[in-house]
């Protein structure tokens, strides 16, 4: 599995401490990580604090502008529509994600991808295991 996706998986595990859905994200430019984050909705009692949004905000601060041209977003789960809107607005060129977001994933709602490539990784066993364990624990 890609080294950047491995780091996104490590980030996702931090969400578990706060009973958040375990999603992690990493933004890479020129093969270097410029930001990373994890879901903090429950931690901060804020519905918009998805891993991707937080990661994008950190990258914007680091680069110093709103445009993340030539950046790749690695995320453990397919981004929702809210996050996809932020991805489009910041000109991220590519999204690499681990597992499908069956309820609110952007690929189910959008046929037109303006200047954004996306790729689902094929080796998502570890991500599925983390996610399945999270929801299994929520049901118990």
């Amino acid at each position: 599995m890609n080294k950047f996706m491995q780091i996104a998986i490590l980030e996702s595990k931090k969400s578990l401490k706060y009973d958040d859905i375990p999603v992690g994200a990493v933004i890479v430019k020129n093969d270097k990580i410029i930001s990373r984050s994890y879901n903090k909705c429950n931690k901060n009692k804020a519905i918009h604090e998805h891993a991707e949004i937080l990661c994008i905000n950190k990258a914007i601060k680091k680069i110093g502008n709103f445009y993340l041209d030539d950046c790749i977003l690695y995320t453990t789960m397919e981004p929702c529509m809210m996050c996809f809107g932020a991805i489009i607005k910041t000109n991220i060129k590519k999204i690499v994600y681990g597992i499908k977001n069956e309820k609110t994933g952007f690929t189910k709602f959008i046929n037109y991808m303006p200047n954004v490539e996306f790729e689902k990784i094929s080796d998502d066993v570890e991500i599925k295991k983390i996610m399945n364990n999270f929801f299994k624990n929520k049901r118990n």
Side-chain angles (χ1 to χ4, degrees):
M1 184 180 295
N2 179 292
K3 67 181 178 180
F4 300 121
M5 186 59 75
Q6 285 291 342
I7 293 168
I9 290 170
L10 291 174
E11 287 293 313
S12 77
K13 292 176 182 178
K14 294 176 183 178
S15 300
L16 297 171
K17 181 177 179 182
Y18 305 101
D19 200 31
D20 266 306
I21 296 173
V23 177
V26 174
I27 294 180
V28 174
K29 184 171 183 169
N30 299 326
D31 249 4
K32 292 184 180 170
I33 294 173
I34 59 171
S35 67
R36 60 176 81 186
S37 195
Y38 58 94
N39 270 359
K40 295 181 183 176
C41 295
N42 284 344
K43 178 182 179 187
N44 295 332
K45 306 295 183 248
I47 194 66
H48 66 283
E49 293 207 358
H50 290 195
E52 299 90 342
I53 297 289
L54 295 170
C55 200
I56 287 168
N57 287 337
K58 286 180 180 181
I60 287 169
K61 285 180 183 174
K62 184 165 187 172
I63 289 178
N65 68 55
F66 292 103
Y67 301 107
L68 302 176
D69 300 317
D70 301 321
C71 289
I72 300 172
L73 170 69
Y74 293 85
T75 181
T76 56
M77 185 173 5
E78 174 188 6
C80 70
M81 291 299 296
M82 175 183 69
C83 294
F84 188 63
I87 290 162
I88 291 170
K89 293 296 276 183
T90 56
N91 294 340
I92 289 174
K93 73 174 185 175
K94 184 174 183 178
I95 305 164
V96 179
Y97 64 94
I99 61 173
K100 297 280 295 168
N101 181 340
E102 297 298 336
K103 290 187 178 182
T104 62
F106 75 91
T107 57
K108 132 176 14 178
F109 298 106
I110 298 204
N111 294 324
Y112 171 66
M113 305 294 174
N115 302 320
V116 179
E117 294 177 52
F118 61 97
E119 170 187 341
K120 183 189 176 304
I121 62 168
S122 58
D123 181 18
D124 57 9
V125 174
E126 185 176 3
I127 299 166
K128 281 182 183 174
K129 182 179 176 184
I130 293 166
M131 198 65 68
N132 288 339
N133 286 339
F134 173 78
F135 284 109
K136 181 180 174 185
N137 290 334
K138 292 295 279 181
R139 287 188 289 271
N140 290 336

